[in-house]
Amino acid sequence: MTTQVLRGWLPSLTTAVGCAVGCWLAVSQAQQSQAQRMEQLTDEVGSLRRALESSSHATGASPVGTATILAPRESRLSVEDQEAMALRVATLLKESGGPVAGSSEPEAPVPTAPEPSSEQREAVARAGMMVDRVVSSGRMTAEDVLEIRRELVHLRGRPEADALRKQLVVAINQDRLVPAPGFDGLP
Amino acid sequence: MKQLSFSKPLLRGVLFPGVALAVLGLAPVAWGGLQSQTVFCQKNADGSGLCYGNFVGFREDATSTSSASFREDLMTGTRSFDSWSTPPGGTSPVVYTCIPNAAVSALWEQALSNRGFFRVSWDASGTCDYLRLVNSSQNTNF
């Protein structure tokens, strides 16, 4: 009788226990992985919060929003949520005039560049025409990049070169200019 | 008094599956080593935007055109970030690029040698105004 009962119940019991143990271990492993990831992301947001607090102490401003920005460690936030929070803190820092790129020191005034030589003025004119042509066409090939780069080599460190590159960057980011596949960086 | 005894079919049919399931649950514990592959870029109508992720994420992305680069041209002195990635639901890659401001440029050497997680954002003028680098075990698969 006992053997029959055991033969009837033991298979189900053993399988159930096995399933339970397996599931528990799998779930605990997943929780551990998620906890590690959360810890990293929470640390990142925490460092931003500390930067904001130090900034607000310096300016006397209230750290608006920080109480709701940092969620408890137990909450489940996605990477996108964490990034959105980090972006929000960065925006608050920028608005409060605090450090955003890790430096609390104000930027030194940019020294005025000396007058460009005649060769440099010619290079600026040629590069400017190329940039205008590329932006108006909406396409930038590898040859275009090389051509503009050849001119900008003569303008190393000059604000005119930076302005021309910015012109390309803005057009690219506004989808008005599409670099050809194999884009090897800005000129 | 009846003795409890297990027959071979009972062992094969019941205990082995149970043990196998338990071992299956144990297996991930033995693997260890959390790795993340992250790719994300986004931009607004005015051209401002952000990218974050790690290089292994861009390299192993399902879209073969995805890439991310921190660059420095030693001849022209140009420092720039650029990325190609296809937005969710999109069919063609989108280009994102920026030139660092003075504060971010001061960190560019670290960006050039970064092997982990990065996050860069830029304003409407295409100026990279924020840079975050994270060196962590889950991002080291360069």
Side-chain angles (χ1 to χ4, degrees):
Chain A
M1 175 69 179
T2 309
T3 307
Q4 283 177 343
V5 168
L6 283 172
R7 281 187 181 178
W9 284 94
L10 196 58
S12 305
L13 185 63
T14 311
T15 307
V17 169
C19 285
V21 170
C23 290
W24 179 80
L25 288 169
V27 168
S28 64
Q29 170 69 10
Q31 284 176 338
Q32 188 184 3
S33 299
Q34 195 171 12
Q36 282 180 333
R37 189 173 180 76
M38 277 299 301
E39 194 170 342
Q40 182 200 357
L41 292 169
T42 306
D43 286 347
E44 290 177 25
V45 176
S47 65
L48 282 170
R49 184 193 183 197
R50 283 191 293 278
L52 176 62
E53 284 174 348
S54 64
S55 167
S56 65
H57 286 317
T59 60
S62 171
V64 179
T66 50
T68 53
I69 286 172
L70 275 186
R73 292 168 82 99
E74 293 76 20
S75 66
R76 297 287 182 262
L77 294 176
S78 65
V79 177
E80 287 75 16
D81 291 335
Q82 294 280 351
E83 283 297 326
M85 288 193 297
L87 190 61
R88 172 69 179 145
V89 173
T91 305
L92 289 170
L93 277 171
K94 197 188 291 181
E95 287 171 0
S96 65
V100 172
S103 171
S104 60
E105 295 175 5
E107 289 183 26
V110 179
T112 309
E115 283 296 308
S117 64
S118 58
E119 289 82 7
Q120 286 178 324
R121 276 196 293 271
E122 289 169 12
V124 169
R126 286 193 297 270
M129 282 193 297
M130 291 174 201
V131 169
D132 288 342
R133 174 174 51 81
V134 162
V135 171
S136 61
S137 73
R139 302 284 301 174
M140 183 164 66
T141 65
E143 288 73 27
D144 293 328
V145 172
L146 289 175
E147 208 175 341
I148 298 169
R149 194 175 287 160
R150 269 196 291 272
E151 300 297 342
L152 296 187
V153 165
H154 304 295
L155 303 170
R156 182 185 170 93
R158 292 213 53 93
E160 295 89 344
D162 295 338
L164 289 170
R165 287 191 194 98
K166 281 289 181 66
Q167 209 176 324
L168 294 171
V169 167
V170 170
I172 290 171
N173 285 340
Q174 291 179 352
D175 296 328
R176 292 186 285 110
L177 175 62
V178 180
F183 177 63
D184 187 30
L186 294 167
Chain B
M1 182 179 168
K2 292 190 177 180
Q3 289 186 342
L4 180 61
S5 65
F6 295 102
S7 64
K8 284 187 178 176
L10 183 66
L11 282 172
R12 278 200 212 116
V14 178
L15 286 180
F16 286 176
V19 171
L21 282 168
V23 169
L24 192 66
L26 274 172
V29 176
W31 293 340
L34 176 65
Q35 283 285 329
S36 69
Q37 295 184 2
T38 315
V39 175
F40 183 82
C41 285
Q42 167 187 295
K43 60 184 174 184
N44 305 309
D46 65 358
S48 61
L50 65 99
C51 281
Y52 67 79
N54 50 19
F55 289 107
V56 66
F58 277 85
R59 197 170 58 249
E60 301 290 334
D61 190 30
T63 309
S64 60
T65 50
S66 295
S67 69
S69 310
F70 291 91
R71 301 176 186 271
E72 178 170 21
D73 187 316
L74 300 178
M75 291 299 290
T76 62
T78 313
R79 288 176 164 176
S80 64
F81 167 82
D82 59 78
S83 170
W84 292 67
S85 74
T86 304
T91 54
S92 55
V94 175
V95 188
Y96 309 82
T97 184
C98 65
I99 295 174
N101 64 13
V104 173
S105 188
L107 308 171
W108 212 247
E109 293 291 339
Q110 296 172 59
L112 289 170
S113 59
N114 176 40
R115 298 171 75 90
F117 181 91
F118 64 86
R119 181 183 184 283
V120 60
S121 63
W122 56 90
D123 61 18
S125 73
T127 303
C128 316
D129 53 9
Y130 180 90
L131 175 65
R132 164 176 288 282
L133 304 174
V134 178
N135 188 23
S136 66
S137 63
Q138 66 203 59
N139 290 298
T140 53
N141 186 9
F142 178 77

